[in-house]
């Protein structure tokens, strides 16, 4: 499997491609990383150095890959945080060209906008771009509960309302929706859930809620789920594998006392997930 991953890169720490590439490689996926920024560290530190890569430069890298005749071999285009409208256009164009070369290729979009605690943390134009132009051409989207509500103009809270919101998102274009955080009012205390919905049904998995915030964990989640799902077409199995791997990554990170994901130290969790959390079908 080959994944063309168009995301940010940092020298220190793990977000964007610096979070997604290694776990994908560890499960046997060939990754073609294309960078949209090249920062010293993620922006959560409040200061960072390094360049935003101009959309035309990102496009040039993609064209160079295309000129090697590789687009026909790409199974998935993956994108995450989009810093500006220009990069959205570049990604949409790349998806069209990859799919022209390989009609079986899919596009997986992590529509990064914000979260329930901090609200939207992207430029005001980005949610509009995602909702109106990017999500409609995606095959898989991996929003958190807040982003799902924002995309669809709904308020997902319960299992039923989150299902309805996922269906509203699927009506926009993507057939598969992974909701990476479901925090329903009636859930067992100290837990969090993930939900996946596709043409074959809907499934939920519950894990303990770790008392931490880990930048990059969503990037790992989107990458691993997309790869497992593309490989098997089994949403429930992809959800179980991804949840197992990411939970163990987060638990190891929390135990370490470090701020950055313990990405390399957790590699066996990607290669051999423990499958410790049962997946429940809800539709």
């Amino acid at each position: 499997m080959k994944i063309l991953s168009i995301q940010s890169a940092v020298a220190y720490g793990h977000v964007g491609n610096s979070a997604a590439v290694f776990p994908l490689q560890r499960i046997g996926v060939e990754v073609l990383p294309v960078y949209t920024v090249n920062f010293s560290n993620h922006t959560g530190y409040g200061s960072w150095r390094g360049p935003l890569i101009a959309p035309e430069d990102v496009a040039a890298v993609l064209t160079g890959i295309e000129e090697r005749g590789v687009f026909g071999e790409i199974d998935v285009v993956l994108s995450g945080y989009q810093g500006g409208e220009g990069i959205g256009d570049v990604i949409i164009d790349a998806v069209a060209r990859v799919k022209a070369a390989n009609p079986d290729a899919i596009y997986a979009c992590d529509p990064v906008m914000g979260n329930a605690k901090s609200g939207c943390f992207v430029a005001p134009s980005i949610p509009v771009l995602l909702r109106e132009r990017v999500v409609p051409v995606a095959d898989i989207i991996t929003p958190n509960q807040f982003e799902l509500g924002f995309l669809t103009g709904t308020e997902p809270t319960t299992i039923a309302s989150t299902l309805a919101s996922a269906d509203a998102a699927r009506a926009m274009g993507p057939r598969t929706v992974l909701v990476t955080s479901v925090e329903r009012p009636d859930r067992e205390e100290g837990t969090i859930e993930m939900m996946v919905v596709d043409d074959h049904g809907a499934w939920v998995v519950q894990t303990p809620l770790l008392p931490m915030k880990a930048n990059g964990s969503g990037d790992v989640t989107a990458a691993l789920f997309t790869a497992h799902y593309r490989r098997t077409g089994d949403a429930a199995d992809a959800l179980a594998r991804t949840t197992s791997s990411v939970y163990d990554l987060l638990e190891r990170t929390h135990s370490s006392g470090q701020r950055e994901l313990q990405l390399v130290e957790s590699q066996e969790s990607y290669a051999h997930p423990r499958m410790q959390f049962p997946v429940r079908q809800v539709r």
Side-chain angles (χ1 to χ4, degrees):
M1 188 191 306
K2 282 191 172 72
I3 293 183
L4 176 66
S5 182
I6 308 171
Q7 301 196 56
S8 57
V10 293
Y12 172 70
H14 301 290
V15 299
N17 267 334
S18 303
V21 172
F22 176 67
L24 288 172
Q25 291 171 329
R26 193 63 183 82
I27 63 169
V29 175
E30 182 76 45
V31 188
L32 288 70
V34 175
Y35 302 138
T36 55
V37 311
N38 188 11
F39 286 167
S40 55
N41 51 270
H42 69 69
T43 58
Y45 285 96
S47 66
W48 63 94
R49 295 180 184 271
L52 272 167
I53 299 174
E56 55 267 29
D57 291 331
V58 179
V61 172
L62 289 161
T63 297
I65 296 169
E66 186 177 31
E67 288 168 350
R68 301 285 72 76
V70 179
F71 274 14
E73 301 170 15
I74 290 170
D75 299 289
V76 179
V77 180
L78 175 66
S79 73
Y81 169 75
Q82 298 185 14
E85 288 186 69
I87 202 67
D89 291 331
V90 170
I91 292 168
I92 292 167
D93 181 58
V95 168
R97 284 151 57 192
V98 167
K99 287 190 169 190
N102 177 13
D104 288 333
I106 62 170
Y107 172 37
C109 169
D110 185 4
V112 179
M113 290 184 280
N115 56 57
K117 290 184 179 65
S118 56
C120 255
F121 50 60
V122 297
S125 60
I126 299 300
V128 179
L129 168 78
L130 287 168
R131 184 172 59 239
E132 295 182 0
R133 299 186 49 217
V134 180
V135 167
V137 301
D139 299 286
I140 299 171
I141 59 171
T142 58
N144 60 36
Q145 199 170 19
F146 170 83
E147 290 160 343
L148 177 63
F150 210 98
L151 281 172
T152 56
T154 60
E155 293 188 13
T157 52
T158 63
I159 292 291
S161 61
T162 304
L163 263 174
S165 297
D167 285 339
R170 293 172 72 239
M172 296 164 68
R175 300 314 305 155
T176 304
V177 177
L178 174 70
V179 190
T180 58
S181 62
V182 179
E183 299 186 58
R184 54 189 173 94
D186 58 339
R187 72 187 188 280
E188 190 181 331
E189 191 175 348
T191 65
I192 192 166
E193 292 165 316
M194 283 206 290
M195 174 190 289
V196 65
V197 186
D198 72 0
D199 289 339
H200 303 291
W203 296 265
V204 167
V205 63
Q206 184 180 86
T207 71
L209 176 61
L210 294 165
M212 63 183 291
K213 177 183 184 294
N215 293 87
S217 58
D219 302 320
V220 177
T221 301
L224 286 176
F225 175 81
T226 297
H228 289 310
Y229 187 65
R230 182 69 178 88
R231 190 172 268 160
T232 67
D234 185 332
D237 180 71
L239 179 64
R241 289 179 183 279
T242 302
T243 302
S244 175
S245 298
V246 173
Y247 181 82
D248 282 352
L249 165 64
L250 291 174
E251 189 175 49
R252 181 181 290 266
T253 301
H254 184 247
S255 298
S256 76
Q258 299 293 309
R259 176 168 180 173
E260 293 290 346
L261 289 175
Q262 300 299 288
L263 194 82
V264 175
E265 295 83 349
S266 303
Q267 59 181 292
E268 286 305 304
S269 299
Y270 325 134
H272 305 108
R274 293 189 294 138
M275 307 296 274
Q276 68 271 44
F277 301 111
V279 171
R280 174 169 63 95
Q281 188 160 6
V282 291
R283 186 167 71 196

